Amino acid sequence: MRFLLDEHLPTGLATLISELGYNALHVKTEGLLSASDSELWTLAGDLEATVVSKDSDFLALARRDRRRSGLILLNLGNISNRDLYVAVRAGWPQLMERLKLGDPVVELRP
């Protein structure tokens, strides 16, 4: 599985996801900081990647175009990067299981 992380997430999260055994790209390291949410959604579909975001605007894109890409919504509020990494590491197996079962949108909550 491949993941595309949006600009509101730290680049270190892409590193963490890679350490968990997945291909993770961050819009910053890919030179895509100026891309709109819609452009990122389309790119993710072209890359066969799941978008990872804290931005609920991606929910509308996911509901409108379920075939293009999936979405992991990190609904964790305003937390430190350290706490974000801990939460993602702990919740990642469940997120992956739900994606593998075909859920187009999965959410990580506290």
Side-chain angles (χ1 to χ4, degrees):
M1 284 186 153
R2 179 180 290 167
F3 299 91
L4 180 63
L5 285 69
D6 87 354
E7 66 184 88
H8 301 292
L9 296 171
T11 56
L13 187 57
T15 303
L16 172 78
I17 293 170
S18 294
E19 289 171 358
L20 294 172
Y22 297 89
N23 184 343
L25 307 169
H26 193 284
V27 296
K28 182 177 182 180
T29 58
E30 298 300 310
L32 298 167
L33 283 178
S34 63
S36 69
D37 290 349
S38 181
E39 290 169 327
L40 292 177
W41 186 259
T42 298
L43 175 62
D46 293 344
L47 294 172
E48 298 182 5
T50 297
V51 172
V52 181
S53 181
K54 291 173 47 176
D55 184 351
S56 60
D57 291 345
F58 280 101
L59 280 173
L61 293 167
R63 288 182 182 129
R64 186 175 69 221
D65 187 7
R66 291 176 184 249
R67 296 167 299 163
R68 294 288 300 167
S69 183
L71 173 65
I72 294 177
L73 184 63
L74 302 178
N75 193 359
L76 300 170
N78 190 15
I79 62 174
S80 70
N81 287 352
R82 181 182 168 275
D83 289 342
L84 174 66
Y85 300 153
V86 169
V88 168
R89 186 179 294 278
W92 197 255
Q94 292 170 314
L95 295 171
M96 294 305 94
E97 185 62 31
R98 289 189 51 210
L99 285 175
K100 289 176 186 174
L101 290 173
D103 290 346
V105 176
V106 296
E107 195 170 353
L108 182 60
R109 295 178 181 226

